[in-house]
Amino acid sequence: MTRLSRISLATAALLLVAGCGGNDSSKSSSSSSGSASASSSSSASSSSSSSSSDFGAPATGPEVKGTGYSYHLPTGWQDISTQLKQSQPGIDTGGRQSPATPPFTANLNTLKVKGNVTGTPTAADLKSLAAQIKQEVATLSPNVKAMDNTTIGGAPAVHQEGDAKQGSTSFFLVQYFVVKSGTNYGITFAFPTSLTQAQRDKIVNPVLASFTFS
């Protein structure tokens, strides 16, 4: 079974990005809730339950280089990897929409943790990983929904998403964990609750389509 020795970093990363609000600081703030109508945020879709080739055209914004991988941010986003690492060393890279959109700004972060699966993960491995990441975000997103597995950068990945809240700040969580060569790569998106599924997909899918391993 896949085990994450430091999966708690995923929760730490979420706690950090949940506070990204209406200024240019990447650190957590005490901004007020960005809640909107339930129809715009509460329904998790399985539209991304496909291979990486089905994510469409890759993003063409700034290239972000992580440890052993790279991806492109959407046009208009900025790389805030340096700031994120200063606040939470467990985060590998990250980006954010620019300019900021108070009270919550769309953002993403990635992390890299060691796994115990060195070859191709089995269905049981992926099921175990999905259960672990669901448990890890339970306090932030108690109703997070496990979505269909997918493929990112040619490697299998598990996927979950749902409404989340930290303190008074509400947001929508979209998270992937990619399994490759004994390592698990976490990709976490956080969105204002005002964005629809279609609007989130227009950000998530191109980023995932651009994700490559070196």
Side-chain angles (χ1 to χ4, degrees):
M1 296 291 180
T2 300
R3 294 191 61 82
L4 294 179
S5 59
R6 294 187 296 149
I7 194 171
S8 60
L9 286 175
T11 301
L14 284 170
L15 287 170
L16 176 67
V17 301
C20 291
N23 56 49
D24 285 334
S25 170
S26 62
K27 297 182 181 180
S28 296
S29 70
S30 56
S31 59
S32 59
S33 170
S35 58
S37 64
S39 62
S40 68
S41 63
S42 62
S43 117
S45 121
S46 59
S47 62
S48 295
S49 59
S50 55
S51 70
S52 57
S53 61
D54 294 325
F55 287 128
T60 57
E63 182 180 23
V64 179
K65 294 185 177 180
T67 307
Y69 65 93
S70 65
Y71 60 92
H72 283 265
L73 295 170
T75 300
W77 281 45
Q78 64 181 126
D79 184 345
I80 58 170
S81 301
T82 299
Q83 300 97 305
L84 290 176
K85 287 179 181 179
Q86 291 173 349
S87 298
Q88 174 50 262
I91 296 177
D92 198 38
T93 68
R96 187 180 60 202
Q97 183 180 354
S98 181
T101 55
F104 193 92
T105 300
N107 64 89
L108 73 89
N109 72 76
T110 69
L111 53 85
K112 179 180 177 181
V113 294
K114 185 68 176 177
N116 289 340
V117 177
T118 55
T120 302
T122 65
D125 291 327
L126 295 175
K127 183 177 180 180
S128 176
L129 175 57
Q132 289 178 65
I133 65 172
K134 183 175 183 178
Q135 182 179 10
E136 282 294 326
V137 300
T139 56
L140 290 174
S141 185
N143 296 316
V144 69
K145 183 177 179 181
M147 312 298 284
D148 291 340
N149 296 339
T150 188
T151 302
I152 298 173
V158 296
H159 170 200
Q160 65 182 11
E161 56 183 73
D163 291 299
K165 189 172 186 178
Q166 186 215 357
S168 63
T169 302
S170 297
F171 59 102
F172 193 87
L173 164 72
V174 179
Q175 187 174 48
Y176 295 83
F177 262 84
V178 190
V179 182
K180 183 175 175 63
S181 303
T183 301
N184 299 312
Y185 299 82
I187 309 170
T188 297
F189 297 84
F191 295 104
T193 57
S194 58
L195 266 63
T196 65
Q197 180 72 56
Q199 290 172 318
R200 294 191 297 266
D201 284 347
K202 289 177 72 172
I203 295 171
V204 172
N205 290 347
V207 172
L208 298 182
S210 72
F211 200 95
T212 59
F213 291 99
S214 55

